[in-house]
Amino acid sequence: MKITLKKLLILAIVPFLYACSSDRANYDDVFAKDTHGLDLLTGQFSQNIDQIWGVNELLVASRKDYVKYNDSYYTRSHISFDEGVITIETLSDVNRLHSAIVHTLLMGSDARGIDLFASGDTPISSRPFLVGQVVNNYGQAITDVNVANNFATYLIQNKLQQRRLSNGRTVQFVSIQMIANHVNIRARKYLPFVRKAARQYDIDESLILGIMQTESSFNPYAISYANAIGLMQVVPHSAGRDVFKMKGRSGQPSKSYLFDPAQNVDAGTSYLWLLRNEYLAGIQNPTSMRYAMISAYNSGAGAVLRVFSDDPDEAIYLINKMQPEQIYRILTTSHPSAQARNYLVKVDKAQRSYRRAR
């Protein structure tokens, strides 16, 4: 995913500028408020990419995109978990490309300790995260170094492509298509955590899965420029702090804590419990509550209630006077945040798909 330099700077250097509300929808407000500080943000990461790859060639990790640079930023790997495409490219030689292919195909699922903004290979794992999501030229799973090496050689000999950058440099790259049901393969990896959290907090499994798909497409390395972290994109200083308080803990979860899949799913599901049992308590119809919870997971409970009234009690009263279909229509057409409007549509659709899959 290519994004503007301004957004990269905030993501790479000052993710904590996004301050302290549970409302996560108004990202543009963050950039507007902090424009005055951007001249000071001259991080080595963004400087290196700009100098080496040129303008409009910035790739950065995000919610649904894994991006890792190595070879002093001259080689990079990009996995689009939404599109199901892996692209590995280099400004160096094919040996560097070969190494990056192998390390990408055999990377693990543990994002803790992995600096996505530093140059360096992600370690090879004995339990590669992409197993089952990618196959080699023989249709086989890529499970070890020998298989990965052979596939990398095949790709370089048969699928190598080139493109020219605006700075005149030539990029050599390969693209690998993931299998058709790669999203479901990833979802299954986290079912034990989802089922445990669903039982503990009495939240529908399909809702948890629908939110995970929408938030991260089951990318364990997921981060965002709003400092949301992990599979369920929990923001440490807002939802994370609320969850810790609910659990009787002080402070907020660390980045390492939220990159642990089990803890991330627990934190995200805990927040859903808080939305239902505290912040949106009083909504009587279960379907209306579900719509409100989904919207509030993205934009905050206060933002959802204000769609109906500035007075929270009156908002609950009005919601209870309406049919669920009316609540859905209002939240998907009248919520001031376009992101929140689309979010409810996406999560509801994803949740329905997981209900049918049972």
Side-chain angles (χ1 to χ4, degrees), residues 66-70 75-77 114-116 118-122:
Y66 167 89
V67 178
K68 189 71 176 76
Y69 288 81
N70 56 67
T75 303
R76 63 189 183 188
S77 303
I114 304 299
D115 186 349
L116 294 175
S119 176
D121 287 313
T122 301

Side-chain angles (χ1 to χ4, degrees), residues 50-70:
D50 188 52
Q51 292 169 5
I52 294 169
W53 292 83
V55 295
N56 299 322
E57 282 292 335
L58 189 58
L59 286 176
V60 64
S62 66
R63 296 185 303 124
K64 300 183 180 182
D65 293 84
Y66 167 89
V67 178
K68 189 71 176 76
Y69 288 81
N70 56 67

Side-chain angles (χ1 to χ4, degrees), residues 109 129 186-194 212 218 220 231 261:
S109 59
F129 177 67
R186 288 196 299 281
R188 290 192 202 114
K189 293 177 182 288
Y190 302 111
L191 276 178
F193 306 140
V194 170
M212 288 173 69
F218 305 100
L231 293 164

Side-chain angles (χ1 to χ4, degrees), residues 43-179:
Q44 193 62 47
F45 176 82
S46 56
Q47 287 186 27
N48 283 338
I49 306 310
D50 188 52
Q51 292 169 5
I52 294 169
W53 292 83
V55 295
N56 299 322
E57 282 292 335
L58 189 58
L59 286 176
V60 64
S62 66
R63 296 185 303 124
K64 300 183 180 182
D65 293 84
Y66 167 89
V67 178
K68 189 71 176 76
Y69 288 81
N70 56 67
D71 181 27
S72 299
Y73 299 98
Y74 280 80
T75 303
R76 63 189 183 188
S77 303
H78 173 208
I79 305 174
S80 172
F81 286 107
D82 243 7
E83 297 177 3
V85 177
I86 303 170
T87 303
I88 304 163
E89 53 188 0
T90 188
L91 290 166
S92 298
D93 55 43
V94 293
N95 292 326
R96 297 287 190 178
L97 184 63
H98 187 285
S99 176
I101 294 170
V102 172
H103 277 83
T104 302
L105 293 173
L106 297 179
M107 71 181 193
S109 59
D110 189 352
R112 293 171 295 180
I114 304 299
D115 186 349
L116 294 175
F117 302 105
S119 176
D121 287 313
T122 301
I124 289 174
S125 172
S126 60
R127 300 177 63 186
F129 177 67
L130 294 175
V131 166
Q133 302 174 61
V134 183
V135 295
N136 66 8
N137 48 307
Y138 297 108
Q140 300 169 331
I142 302 166
T143 55
D144 56 44
V145 173
N146 184 53
V147 178
N149 271 322
N150 290 337
F151 187 40
T153 299
Y154 165 82
L155 289 170
I156 290 171
Q157 291 178 349
N158 297 276
K159 302 293 183 181
L160 188 64
Q161 301 179 67
Q162 293 185 348
R163 65 187 181 90
R164 196 83 161 173
L165 299 181
S166 60
N167 62 11
R169 288 177 167 166
T170 299
V171 178
Q172 299 185 90
F173 70 97
V174 297
S175 292
I176 307 166
Q177 192 73 41
M178 301 171 77
I179 66 171

